[in-house]
Amino acid sequence: MKQYVGLDISMEETSICVLDQSGDVTFEGCVSTKPEAIAQLLRRHAGNAERIVFETGALSNWLWHQLRALGFPVICLDARHANAALSMRINKSDQNDAKGLAEMARIGWYREVAVKGAESRKTRSMLAARTKLLNLRRDIDNQMRGLCKGLGKLLGKAGSTSLARKVDAVLADAPDLQDIFAPLLLVQSCLTEQIEKLDRQLLAVAKGDQTVRRMLTVPGSGP
């Protein structure tokens, strides 16, 4: 007999509901949100699982790949679509959400999303890390600009490298501020170094991708 499984995933625990073809609950329970623990429970209570579904979320990409590698027919659902269906349930709980997801799997009323591959996820993580470092460096630069304004020194337009030189010029006239600016300049320098490392990595990825190389021919488009 075919079975349909809904997983309501949270950081610590995952609620699981298993339905048979008639929609009757054959198992409900919770397990640690670890692929091995989930797989063990599924083998015990859902050996004939036709579909195993869960919503998109922070852990969904990782769990999809892990459970897929273990041979389970997992499907990742669009969270907004799933939420629209689950919000109609009277009693909101993790277990009820798991049951609602299992019902969606049984009926086939769901919207599957494409799960990113390992390389795509790695590239996306590199871009996110670079964006975070750029934002942090911008905050440091703006902090130094603000401190210099308090001294009547307007630094004007400048990139991070030239900005550091302008700050050094200000400190030449106000050496007593060295203890204030030195940590900021050090952090800015470290951030720039790490950003440049990520830039080199992303450039290598861009050069190795035919589609990206074509897009780089567009004026103003970088790696």
Side-chain angles (χ1 to χ4, degrees):
M1 181 178 291
K2 294 180 180 179
Q3 296 170 302
Y4 303 89
V5 184
L7 306 180
D8 187 69
I9 300 168
S10 64
M11 296 301 294
E12 299 295 334
E13 287 188 335
T14 293
S15 294
I16 299 178
C17 179
V18 182
L19 302 180
D20 61 18
Q21 288 178 280
S22 301
D24 295 326
V25 176
T26 60
F27 174 79
E28 283 184 310
C30 290
V31 68
S32 174
T33 304
K34 297 178 180 178
E36 298 80 7
I38 295 174
Q40 184 177 0
L41 189 147
L42 289 175
R43 292 191 186 101
R44 187 184 308 137
H45 299 284
N48 298 317
E50 181 77 5
R51 287 189 286 268
I52 301 170
V53 305
F54 50 83
E55 302 174 70
T56 54
L59 300 177
S60 59
N61 191 292
W62 169 67
L63 276 178
W64 188 92
H65 283 285
Q66 292 292 316
L67 293 175
R68 176 72 65 164
L70 293 172
F72 292 100
V74 289
I75 297 173
C76 197
L77 310 187
D78 182 281
R80 290 170 296 182
H81 183 255
N83 183 64
L86 297 177
S87 63
M88 299 175 65
R89 304 181 71 85
I90 298 176
N91 297 318
K92 179 72 172 175
S93 69
D94 292 344
Q95 197 61 58
N96 280 342
D97 283 351
K99 183 177 181 181
L101 290 168
E103 289 174 346
M104 293 172 67
R106 184 178 70 87
I107 298 171
W109 188 66
Y110 57 80
R111 182 178 300 162
E112 183 176 0
V113 299
V115 178
K116 296 179 178 63
E119 284 301 316
S120 176
R121 190 169 69 251
K122 179 181 177 182
T123 302
R124 189 180 182 89
S125 297
M126 289 171 62
L127 290 167
R130 180 179 180 274
T131 298
K132 174 59 70 175
L133 294 180
L134 286 171
N135 290 338
L136 290 171
R137 187 176 65 176
R138 182 198 60 208
D139 291 343
I140 294 294
D141 288 352
N142 288 339
Q143 182 66 36
M144 291 193 292
R145 287 179 182 277
L147 292 172
C148 287
K149 283 181 182 179
L151 301 173
K153 304 289 186 179
L154 300 180
L155 301 181
K157 292 183 178 180
S160 291
T161 302
S162 56
L163 182 69
R165 289 197 294 266
K166 289 185 176 184
V167 171
D168 286 335
V170 171
L171 294 178
D173 297 329
D176 57 309
L177 298 177
Q178 182 70 35
D179 291 342
I180 297 175
F181 280 89
L184 296 172
L185 288 167
L186 177 61
V187 171
Q188 187 219 49
S189 176
C190 291
L191 288 170
T192 297
E193 180 182 352
Q194 299 307 313
I195 290 169
E196 290 174 350
K197 286 183 179 179
L198 285 175
D199 283 347
R200 290 192 292 270
Q201 294 178 44
L202 288 167
L203 180 59
V205 173
K207 288 182 177 179
D209 188 292
Q210 183 179 359
T211 302
V212 177
R213 288 203 306 272
R214 289 165 57 193
M215 294 176 67
L216 287 173
T217 63
V218 178
S221 296

